[in-house]
Amino acid sequence: MSKQGNIQISSENMMPIIKKWLYSDKDIFLREIVANGVDAITKYKKLVEMGETAEDESNKDYCIKISVDKDAKTLTVEDNGIGMTEDEVEKYITQIAFSGAADFLAQYEKAGGDGIIGHFGLGFYSAYMVSENIEIYTKSYREGAKGVHWESDGESTYTIEECDKAERGTRIVMHIAKEEKEFLDEGRIRGLIEKYCAFMPYNIYYNFTGKDDKALNDTNPLYLKNPKDCSEEEYKEFYRKTFHDYHDPLFWIHLNMEYPFRLKGILYFPKVKSKVELERGKVKLYCNQVYIADNIKEVIPEFLTLLNGVIDCPDIPLNVSRSFLQNDRQVQKISRHITKKVADKLTGLYKTDREKFEQCWNDISVFIKLGCIKDEDFYSKVKDIIIYKDLNGEYKSLDEFIGKKPEEEKAAEGEAEQNGEKKEEEKQPTTIYYISDEVGQAQYIDMFKNAGLNAIVCDTFIDTHFVSYLEYKEPTKFRFLRIDADVDAALKSAEAGSEEENKALTEAFKAALKNTDVAVKAEKLKNESVPAIINVSEFSRRFGEMNAFYGMAGADTDRDMTLIINTANPVIQAFTGLDEDKKKFVANQVYYMARLAYKKLSPEEMKEFAENNAALLKNYIG
Ligand code: ADP
Ligand code: MG
């Protein structure tokens, strides 16, 4: 006997809102329907396990079958789970499922429309985003249960009647709406299964034939296994399959904990392809093997999304709004735990396999530096393992570079601060020179090496930020100067020239220079062969770089240039004795040479420099 009824919750005004809001994210309907099948199988198995019912020997290949009938325009999902009686369909589908959707909407509105994570709680109803009509054929596991057929357009009415269904389980037949016909496309459906159902715990088949069918999913993904039982090859294989990246990962972290919350997953450090750009990775979040979304920043700290990984966390309350997640203690704990594990892995590698750590450094340094800037906890855990290449090509931590022991070790050795004076002295930050461009700064590097000085290489796009961050975090420890920002005492000759002479020289030089913006200063350098070098104030250069980084107009990285003329150089020594024309010629030529060693000349400057050189050559050959 067939029965008809009205859907109790008024869904006429609900559907348009849900449809509109979820428009961009309709895909999740398939996950919801398949996940219901998974739940139904799990429930049945549980009953068998508890001895509530005897396992049906003829129907125990637990699986979910998905098929498309293009002519009938239907998409069908069938499971052999627990099934439903007529009463249960009334209760769970007609009443609860629809009221669940109403709850969802109420929550969504309460949350100010900020998006409900994974849209859980919408469940069965979400299939109406793509269907004009849905039929359910189901048969409960209960003795003597009859098949039930339910049908509704999801708007306001439904029918329910008895039907012939031989096997236990539920078949959902979705009559796909005209404008959603993409969901009748095999490739589209396979793509959705791969994305949302890749690790679901029962076999999922597309167009099941009964012979040689291959499941589309991996029911026992590697991340669920005990790390002890996983081989290196398995980790790499899992990475390739999950992320379609054919470069092996550098290394990985297998998370596996039960207490105080359940968390399983694998985070992979990929090889980076470019030094000047961040490549966003993908950390896929799962809940009991059901895919939720990528890179949920409330659960996975944002900087970790530079990695690739899977995280399965059954304890996250998913049917809540994002703003709730942000303030949830449990979620914060999970996020902190993941960060801690990553820091532990990195410090572990540094301590046990420094060679490998150094080999990987180029690939992980941007990630680590970004992590430090974004997360102070992370910084305090990894600060001693941040290394830099020096001018000799050796990797050193900053403490190693300045010849200090890391604080940890010092404390362990009980090295106490001796007296007040020493304390004061220690408060002076150590100046660390860095280079950002081995070619552009070659002249400075050469002078540095000859004077027995060293510098670190900071050549990734994040380094200007990072050194500023270090100075802010460790104001009494480090101060950073780019190699061309200042003339270190070690580069200067012991006897400086007289102040008066220098003053006269710089004034004469400045008067002869065409470029009136540049400041001039005389120094006696050890290196006699260089007539002049350019210095640029660290502060203004950084300011300009930051502006450029944020794409701000008027970014000028040329501010505050100083031409350091070298009084040890014969040309400079002869300068004051020259006639006015020669002074002009020499001053400009010296300036252009210094500029060339620092950065490119402007087109006009380059033209004049080339003409002058041609004239010089002509004079030279007489
Ligand atoms: P939820 O899964 O969060 O409970 P849904 O709207 O997805 O919400 O489903 C509502 C209810 O309908 C389920 O709790 C379950 O009792 C029932 N149900 C849905 N699909 C199936 C199925 N394939 N087999 C058995 N019961 C189902
Ligand atoms: Mg559900």
Side-chain angles (χ1 to χ4, degrees), residues 191 193-199 216-218 220-224 233-247 249 265-268 281-286 291 294 307-311:
I193 299 169
E194 193 194 329
K195 178 168 178 188
Y196 289 100
C197 311
F199 303 137
L216 299 179
N217 56 328
D218 176 1
N220 189 18
L222 194 69
Y223 72 79
L224 290 178
E233 200 29 62
E234 284 176 311
Y235 281 117
K236 289 181 179 169
E237 174 68 23
F238 184 75
Y239 179 76
R240 279 193 290 270
K241 261 178 52 189
T242 312
F243 299 101
H244 307 292
D245 181 353
Y246 293 93
H247 299 273
I266 307 174
L267 289 173
Y268 288 95
K282 239 186 209 171
V283 178
K284 299 168 182 251
L285 183 67
Y286 294 79
Y291 171 79
D294 289 337
L307 307 181
N308 284 325
V310 294
I311 300 269

Side-chain angles (χ1 to χ4, degrees), residues 377-425:
D377 269 358
F378 185 72
Y379 171 73
S380 61
K381 291 195 175 83
V382 300
K383 66 184 166 77
D384 292 330
I385 65 161
I386 296 168
I387 54 175
Y388 302 83
K389 199 162 81 174
D390 71 4
L391 293 185
N392 309 316
E394 285 170 31
Y395 281 101
K396 290 183 174 138
S397 72
L398 288 183
D399 281 322
E400 287 167 348
F401 185 80
I402 63 176
K404 263 194 197 161
K405 291 175 186 170
E407 265 149 46
E408 244 178 78
E409 271 176 53
K410 261 201 309 200
E413 284 171 22
E415 200 179 289
E417 260 139 34
Q418 280 134 0
N419 52 45
E421 254 170 67
K422 174 140 188 237
K423 248 190 191 162
E424 274 310 300
E425 187 189 278

Side-chain angles (χ1 to χ4, degrees), residues 36-37 39-40 43 79 82-84 92-93 97 122-124 170:
N36 281 349
D39 290 346
K43 283 178 195 160
D79 67 70
I82 191 169
M84 285 178 279
Y92 299 131
I93 299 294
L122 196 58
F124 173 76
T170 302

Side-chain angles (χ1 to χ4, degrees), residues 143-351:
E143 282 260 344
K146 300 232 165 61
V148 178
H149 174 228
W150 177 96
E151 181 166 7
S152 171
D153 62 3
E155 299 280 330
S156 57
T157 59
Y158 70 96
T159 60
I160 190 164
E161 66 196 344
E162 221 180 275
C163 75
D164 285 335
K165 187 178 189 302
E167 305 260 84
R168 179 197 74 241
T170 302
R171 182 164 68 241
I172 309 282
V173 182
M174 291 164 266
H175 294 264
I176 301 298
K178 264 200 242 28
E179 50 301 354
E180 309 296 345
K181 61 176 189 298
E182 61 185 279
F183 295 106
L184 295 170
D185 180 66
E186 172 167 355
R188 183 79 165 95
I189 297 300
R190 282 180 182 272
L192 291 183
I193 299 169
E194 193 194 329
K195 178 168 178 188
Y196 289 100
C197 311
F199 303 137
M200 284 190 182
Y202 308 110
N203 283 337
I204 299 172
Y205 299 105
Y206 185 82
N207 276 350
F208 188 77
T209 60
K211 49 178 192 273
D212 300 334
D213 293 293
K214 252 190 91 195
L216 299 179
N217 56 328
D218 176 1
T219 57
N220 189 18
L222 194 69
Y223 72 79
L224 290 178
K225 293 186 187 152
N226 191 321
K228 284 205 303 277
D229 303 328
C230 304
S231 71
E232 187 166 326
E233 200 29 62
E234 284 176 311
Y235 281 117
K236 289 181 179 169
E237 174 68 23
F238 184 75
Y239 179 76
R240 279 193 290 270
K241 261 178 52 189
T242 312
F243 299 101
H244 307 292
D245 181 353
Y246 293 93
H247 299 273
D248 278 343
L250 297 167
F251 50 87
W252 47 86
I253 304 169
H254 194 151
L255 304 158
N256 187 308
M257 71 186 294
E258 292 287 339
Y259 185 83
F261 45 80
R262 290 172 292 163
L263 178 71
K264 288 192 162 76
I266 307 174
L267 289 173
Y268 288 95
F269 286 76
K271 259 188 141 31
V272 296
K273 281 151 213 130
S274 131
K275 199 153 63 174
V276 291
E277 226 175 316
L278 282 187
E279 254 171 283
R280 185 155 290 285
K282 239 186 209 171
V283 178
K284 299 168 182 251
L285 183 67
Y286 294 79
C287 181
N288 283 322
Q289 298 172 250
V290 177
Y291 171 79
I292 308 302
D294 289 337
N295 301 343
I296 301 258
K297 67 175 192 303
E298 288 77 7
V299 183
I300 296 138
E302 209 185 342
F303 73 95
L304 291 180
T305 60
L306 295 174
L307 307 181
N308 284 325
V310 294
I311 300 269
D312 195 320
C313 199
D315 295 329
I316 299 176
L318 285 164
N319 53 348
V320 299
S321 73
R322 299 201 107 154
S323 50
F324 180 86
L325 269 190
Q326 266 160 16
N327 299 315
D328 186 70
R329 297 282 281 290
Q330 182 82 341
V331 171
Q332 283 167 6
K333 265 197 228 154
I334 292 169
S335 166
R336 271 205 301 274
H337 177 77
I338 297 173
T339 305
K340 182 180 175 304
K341 282 288 168 191
V342 171
D344 287 351
K345 173 77 187 185
L346 292 167
T347 48
L349 189 64
Y350 178 85
K351 283 181 184 144

Side-chain angles (χ1 to χ4, degrees), residues 31-37 39 120-125:
R31 170 189 74 189
E32 295 296 323
I33 297 299
V34 177
N36 281 349
D39 290 346
F120 263 50
L122 196 58
F124 173 76
Y125 201 98

